[in-house]
Amino acid sequence: MTIKLHRGDLPADLSFGPIVAIDTETMGLNPHRDRLCLVQLSAGDGNAHLVQIPKVSTGSGPAKAPRLAALLADPKVLKLFHFGRFDIAVLEHALGVRCEPVYCTKIAAKLIRTFTDRHGLKDLCRDLLGVELSKQQQTSDWGADRLSDEQLAYAASDVLHLHALRTKLDAMLARVQNDLFDLGADLCTPPSDQPPAFEPLRGNWSDVIWILAAATMIGGTIAGVTIDNSVIGGGTPAASAACFRNS
């Protein structure tokens, strides 16, 4: 494993391929109050790139990290998160950019692991990958000018396994997709002149997870919330879901 720390932005010649895992470290849990300190990224190759975000003056606007911002907004690159709702909000507030398209392993886990309420990253890595993650540095000082080796290793661990988790979760989802879509069709009531809400997405789990992640970003729940073309880019309302919560 190689961990590379970059200060202020990504280097110009760095590529993560079509899928990049992303996580953040902040000074707290309020995206509008607490400073973004670190952005972790991995291409799923066992290496991690960490971008240390400098503190900006109050009222000066978003931090300037143009190469990182361009990657986050690139429609050709899928962004993997765990509990993406928080990270996406933090990145938008701090850098002024909306991440899309996205895939959230926590949402995927909630769809398939209905036998448990343990959907944390540590739980998923242990149960699905046989990997034990340490959380000892979770509440350390991420705003420090110099981060310790232990902090860097902890931060990297949060993105190194997301590609493997996505592969595992998608395989599990694929095995039960017909039952899940049948359930969605039963619970959704589209207009009589439209096809069942979930039918256009059958078999495309990346789109499903992206839609559910987008719903949690704008409302915190998709119970009874219509996800329309402004969210997923379709021509008509695509889903009126009443079966899943992200809490």
Side-chain angles (χ1 to χ4, degrees):
M1 177 181 69
T2 300
I3 301 173
K4 294 186 178 181
L5 179 64
H6 311 287
R7 300 188 185 278
D9 203 357
L10 291 169
D13 59 348
L14 184 61
S15 173
F16 291 92
I19 305 174
V20 58
I22 302 175
D23 189 46
T24 63
E25 303 299 341
T26 66
M27 293 296 290
L29 298 178
N30 186 329
H32 299 283
R33 178 196 65 202
D34 300 318
R35 179 165 73 91
L36 172 65
C37 302
L38 193 71
V39 181
Q40 307 97 276
L41 307 99
S42 176
D45 56 359
N47 300 315
H49 292 265
L50 282 52
V51 180
Q52 197 168 19
I53 305 298
K55 184 177 181 179
V56 297
S57 302
T58 303
S60 62
K64 305 300 182 184
R67 288 183 288 273
L68 174 59
L71 174 65
L72 296 176
D74 189 341
K76 296 180 181 179
V77 178
L78 179 66
K79 274 67 73 170
L80 299 183
F81 293 93
H82 184 81
F83 192 42
R85 180 182 175 188
F86 175 78
D87 298 306
I88 292 166
V90 167
L91 291 165
E92 182 169 8
H93 180 74
L95 301 179
V97 62
R98 171 65 63 90
C99 299
E100 55 183 3
V102 300
Y103 182 109
C104 180
T105 54
K106 184 171 184 178
I107 292 177
K110 286 193 171 188
L111 283 171
I112 194 61
R113 285 165 53 92
T114 55
F115 54 84
T116 181
D117 61 356
R118 301 180 70 86
H119 305 293
L121 182 59
K122 184 174 182 179
D123 300 309
L124 295 184
C125 285
R126 181 188 60 246
D127 294 350
L128 301 183
L129 304 178
V131 174
E132 290 289 347
L133 296 184
S134 171
K135 291 295 182 180
Q136 289 184 348
Q137 298 295 321
Q138 187 170 26
T139 57
S140 60
D141 181 12
W142 293 106
D145 290 336
R146 295 185 63 85
L147 300 177
S148 68
D149 291 343
E150 291 77 15
Q151 286 178 300
L152 297 179
Y154 164 81
S157 71
D158 280 350
V159 293
L160 290 176
H161 306 292
L162 293 187
H163 287 76
L165 283 178
R166 179 191 177 226
T167 298
K168 287 279 189 179
L169 290 165
D170 277 356
M172 296 168 70
L173 286 163
R175 290 200 298 267
V176 297
Q177 64 175 332
N178 290 330
D179 289 343
L180 182 59
F181 277 109
D182 289 343
L183 173 63
D186 289 341
L187 292 173
C188 296
T189 55
S192 58
D193 60 343
Q194 293 187 19
F198 287 109
E199 187 64 29
L201 300 176
R202 182 178 293 274
N204 193 339
W205 282 105
S206 290
D207 284 348
V208 173
I209 304 303
W210 176 32
I211 290 169
L212 298 181
T216 66
M217 285 159 48
I218 62 174
T221 177
I222 61 167
V225 174
T226 297
I227 310 169
D228 62 21
N229 56 346
S230 67
V231 176
I232 66 169
T236 60
S240 180
C243 43
F244 307 107
R245 287 184 180 273
N246 182 42
S247 58

